Amino acid sequence: MIRNFAVLIFLLVALPFLVYGQDELSKNGNEIDVVDNGILQDSETDQTEAIQELIDHATEGDTVFFPEGTYLVRTLQLRTGVSIRSLGIIKHHPSAKAGEFSIEKQNSPNPLILGRGAKDLSISIKGESINEGIYLFKSHQIRIYDTELVGDSLKRRAYPGIMTFESSEIEIYNTRIHHFGMPRAETHSYQPGSGIRILSSNTVSIHDSEIYRNGENGVFIHGSRKVEVINNIIHHNGMSAIQVAFGDSGKENDYIFSHNIMDENASDAIDINNRSKEKAKDIECLITENIACGNGYVKGESTPDGSGIVTLINVSNVLIYKNKAVRNNRPAIYIESCGVILAHSNWADNQVEITLDLEEFHVTDNRFSSINLIANTNAKIIHVRDNELGSLSLPNTIQVGEFTIENNDFSHANFNFNMKGTVNLTGNRIKNKSRNPTILITKADGALIENNEILSENSSAIILRKTAKNVQIIENEIKSFNTGIFDDNSTALAVKNNKITSIPGGNENQTFRSHYPNQLTLEGNEYIGIADAETVVLVGKGKARIIKENLVSGTANYGEVEISGN
């Protein structure tokens, strides 16, 4: 655990992957004005060959410049070291071949700008494309900046605005990419058309850009490593703002998703979904200081997705830090079959959900509506500390090897522990207004309830079933409407140094009640019961050790129980 945490803290303070300046890639070459070289502005003719000739005959370090106007082309091919800059619009000529995106054919016959084996250049253009705006294949050291790419919003199966394949050292910044593909119209179906698609690439930086109203994802990353998405606005896309998918290469790691605004996307804010055979892949991922609002809806209706902060499936080594999420359809954080996950200082108006296998989940200093463990959860360690939470939902038959719930504020909690593993409930402030008991322990391998403040306004505070064992209730302050602690023949219960107060009006106003006590210990507790009424009651036969008890008000009735102690 310490090793993983150190790696993630390193990511937290790491600098962006690409930090070269705007002019660093240029070679102080010449600017070649296409109009000065015979290219016609606002012509309806296909000018591909004439413009391509200028690019092909330029010297490395030169920039081919397009003044104001519209320039119609099929595809312009990049050359190493030759940059492209436009004030005018580079637009697809009607003769360009329009393809349809498919998994088998992910690149079109005519991208607007094509880099094939190109390197060491920059692109700053205004482009209108019926296919990809920019496609980079086996290209390196490419900077795309001050660019606007507009797609075909009527196309059902659209290519992405920018696509990289087997490329590296790609920087995209101060760029707008929008309307690549039809808007999503149905809650349970969508069509291709991503803003940016990163495939089998590495060292890619996307920052300070706006990616919006595309048919599918804002940013899609597959089989790639060392990708950062920082300080972008990603909104109104047909799937997730950011999605990471996994191939068979095993290269998927080293991600930073930070300071983005992800708003009104039809699926998740961030979706990291490893469906490969590798179990809980270590991806070294930092998700920090993002804001997510209103994700997971189409025309006001809920889609199957829409996590506010992130969905994590079958991954490990992820730090989720200082994110905010409001009005999203699905949980703020969804965790399925994961390794080591840390969530620190996040704020969301909805819940965290956990299901299936989990190695370690550390939740510290967050605000969530609840943390819900779904049926079939099997976790080694869950540590929930210093959070502001509504409740903690625990279905029957879950397994948690070490479940620590420490120093949290619960505003409307009732806990049902019917599980395998041990529970430590320590230092919490717990309020419960429901008619269900605040803490019900049906089954656990051991439980420590220590130093908590428990206010149960309409029900019993703590109920222990016969199948509970090795429960210790120590130094708590308990105020309860019905029975403060009710023990139904659990084994080896120890209740020590608690202050237990009855709230008048309950059907059973005892501070403590035990049926057929089995190796029960009561020591040093203070009971404030209803005056002149039984407040400590032992029922049936059994054995109890009772030492230095203090009945401030109310009386004790030990019945036929065998009592030992002072």
Side-chain angles (χ1 to χ4, degrees):
M1 171 59 208
I2 294 175
R3 179 189 65 82
N4 289 306
F5 184 75
V7 169
L8 291 169
I9 290 300
F10 171 77
L11 283 173
L12 180 61
V13 299
L15 294 173
F17 299 138
L18 302 175
V19 294
Y20 45 72
Q22 177 172 323
D23 298 324
E24 227 174 282
L25 288 179
S26 68
K27 302 285 192 305
N28 298 317
N30 298 315
E31 184 173 85
I32 301 170
D33 188 314
V34 297
V35 174
D36 290 345
N37 285 270
I39 305 301
L40 298 176
Q41 296 163 295
D42 303 316
S43 171
E44 294 183 2
T45 61
D46 179 2
Q47 301 184 78
T48 303
E49 292 182 5
I51 296 172
Q52 190 65 53
E53 186 174 355
L54 291 177
I55 295 172
D56 291 344
H57 287 86
T59 302
E60 287 192 24
D62 288 347
T63 298
V64 176
F65 172 65
F66 296 76
E68 293 285 355
T70 300
Y71 306 87
L72 299 182
V73 300
R74 298 185 309 278
T75 295
L76 295 180
Q77 297 196 37
L78 300 172
R79 279 189 60 241
T80 291
V82 178
S83 298
I84 294 179
R85 185 170 72 89
S86 79
L87 295 179
I89 298 172
I90 302 173
K91 184 176 180 180
H92 264 136
H93 187 269
S95 64
K97 296 178 181 179
E100 293 287 324
F101 179 93
S102 67
I103 297 300
E104 296 76 22
K105 187 64 176 176
Q106 297 191 30
N107 60 288
S108 75
N110 276 133
L112 188 66
I113 305 293
L114 172 62
R116 187 183 298 273
K119 64 180 182 179
D120 195 12
L121 60 91
S122 64
I123 302 169
S124 176
I125 65 169
K126 295 179 180 178
E128 295 183 10
S129 175
I130 61 172
N131 296 315
E132 304 99 328
I134 299 171
Y135 173 38
L136 302 176
F137 173 62
K138 292 189 176 181
S139 295
H140 312 282
Q141 292 181 290
I142 309 293
R143 185 179 66 245
I144 301 168
Y145 71 99
D146 294 348
T147 285
E148 181 168 11
L149 299 173
V150 184
D152 182 356
S153 63
L154 300 178
K155 195 167 187 177
R156 182 169 293 277
R157 300 188 64 81
Y159 293 98
I162 297 175
M163 185 164 76
T164 75
F165 180 55
E166 295 184 357
S167 297
S168 68
E169 296 182 72
I170 310 299
E171 183 177 22
I172 302 166
Y173 70 95
N174 198 28
T175 287
R176 299 175 71 208
I177 304 170
H178 54 97
H179 291 96
F180 282 84
M182 292 179 65
R184 181 167 173 174
E186 304 291 338
T187 57
H188 284 71
S189 64
Y190 62 93
Q191 58 283 333
S194 295
I196 300 175
R197 193 170 177 87
I198 308 298
L199 307 178
S200 302
S201 298
N202 73 83
T203 317
V204 178
S205 177
I206 303 164
H207 61 94
D208 299 287
S209 295
E210 185 179 10
I211 306 164
Y212 63 100
R213 298 196 182 279
N214 300 289
E216 196 175 351
N217 298 292
V219 178
F220 177 80
I221 303 163
H222 181 273
S224 299
R225 66 180 181 87
K226 205 168 188 180
V227 179
E228 62 180 19
V229 183
I230 298 176
N231 201 37
N232 303 282
I233 301 173
I234 308 174
H235 63 96
H236 292 92
N237 296 288
M239 279 289 283
S240 300
I242 302 169
Q243 182 175 5
V244 179
F246 293 71
D248 298 326
S249 67
K251 294 180 179 179
E252 300 88 354
N253 70 339
D254 204 351
Y255 300 113
I256 299 176
F257 305 133
S258 178
H259 291 88
N260 301 288
I261 296 174
M262 297 171 285
D263 182 40
E264 304 288 341
N265 300 284
S267 188
D268 304 307
I270 300 173
D271 179 13
I272 303 178
N273 190 336
N274 178 19
R275 295 296 185 184
S276 68
K277 295 180 180 179
E278 183 176 0
K279 187 174 181 179
K281 178 172 174 53
D282 186 339
I283 62 171
E284 295 185 14
C285 179
L286 172 65
I287 299 168
T288 178
E289 297 189 75
N290 300 290
I291 298 173
C293 305
N295 297 292
Y297 300 94
V298 171
K299 298 178 180 179
E301 296 186 14
S302 298
T303 70
D305 306 297
S307 60
I309 297 175
V310 65
T311 287
L312 299 173
I313 298 176
N314 199 23
V315 294
S316 183
N317 212 354
V318 179
L319 174 60
I320 308 163
Y321 177 69
K322 274 193 175 180
N323 301 279
K324 293 183 179 180
V326 294
R327 303 191 312 276
N328 297 286
N329 177 38
R330 296 278 294 153
I333 299 173
Y334 176 81
I335 296 172
E336 178 183 321
S337 301
C338 285
V340 179
I341 310 295
L342 291 82
H344 179 62
S345 297
N346 300 283
W347 188 99
D349 61 357
N350 59 356
Q351 74 272 25
V352 175
E353 287 189 0
I354 304 166
T355 188
L356 300 181
D357 295 339
L358 176 63
E359 187 175 346
E360 296 183 29
F361 185 35
H362 298 263
V363 193
T364 59
D365 196 30
N366 303 278
R367 178 181 173 184
F368 298 119
S369 65
S370 63
I371 296 177
N372 302 342
L373 277 66
I374 309 302
N376 301 320
T377 297
N378 184 354
K380 291 182 180 178
I381 297 173
I382 296 178
H383 191 178
V384 180
R385 177 172 57 84
D386 295 328
N387 301 281
E388 185 178 340
L389 301 166
S391 61
L392 181 65
S393 177
L394 307 167
N396 295 335
T397 70
I398 63 172
Q399 298 184 49
V400 183
E402 298 177 19
F403 201 162
T404 302
I405 305 160
E406 179 182 10
N407 297 335
N408 303 282
D409 281 311
F410 291 96
S411 60
H412 50 278
N414 47 85
F415 308 145
N416 171 30
F417 295 103
N418 184 0
M419 53 173 277
K420 293 182 179 179
T422 61
V423 177
N424 288 341
L425 195 67
T426 306
N428 302 281
R429 293 153 297 282
I430 305 169
K431 295 181 180 179
N432 176 28
K433 295 183 178 181
S434 76
R435 297 186 180 277
N436 297 316
T438 303
I439 300 170
L440 171 63
I441 302 180
T442 301
K443 183 179 180 182
D445 295 325
L448 173 63
I449 303 172
E450 183 176 23
N451 197 31
N452 301 282
E453 297 175 14
I454 302 172
L455 175 59
S456 189
E457 297 185 3
N458 291 295
S459 63
S460 297
I462 301 173
I463 295 180
L464 310 174
R465 298 301 185 199
K466 181 177 181 179
T467 47
K469 58 183 179 181
N470 300 320
V471 178
Q472 299 181 70
I473 304 174
I474 300 172
E475 294 185 353
N476 301 280
E477 184 172 338
I478 301 169
K479 295 180 180 180
S480 179
F481 179 70
N482 277 326
T483 304
I485 300 173
F486 172 53
D487 167 38
D488 188 15
N489 189 222
S490 69
T491 302
L493 170 63
V495 181
K496 299 180 180 181
N497 301 321
N498 301 279
K499 181 179 179 181
I500 310 172
T501 303
S502 286
I503 299 174
N507 292 328
E508 296 181 348
N509 267 125
Q510 289 94 31
T511 53
F512 180 87
R513 183 182 184 93
S514 179
H515 288 184
Y516 300 93
N518 182 0
Q519 304 174 51
L520 168 67
T521 297
L522 299 177
E523 181 177 345
N525 299 289
E526 180 180 298
Y527 305 98
I528 304 174
I530 306 301
D532 301 324
E534 291 181 350
T535 191
V536 177
V537 178
L538 307 183
V539 177
K541 296 182 179 180
K543 293 183 179 181
R545 185 169 178 265
I546 300 177
I547 304 171
K548 297 180 180 179
E549 296 279 89
N550 179 17
L551 272 69
V552 176
S553 55
T555 61
N557 182 354
Y558 299 153
E560 299 181 36
V561 174
E562 181 182 333
I563 305 297
S564 63
N566 297 327

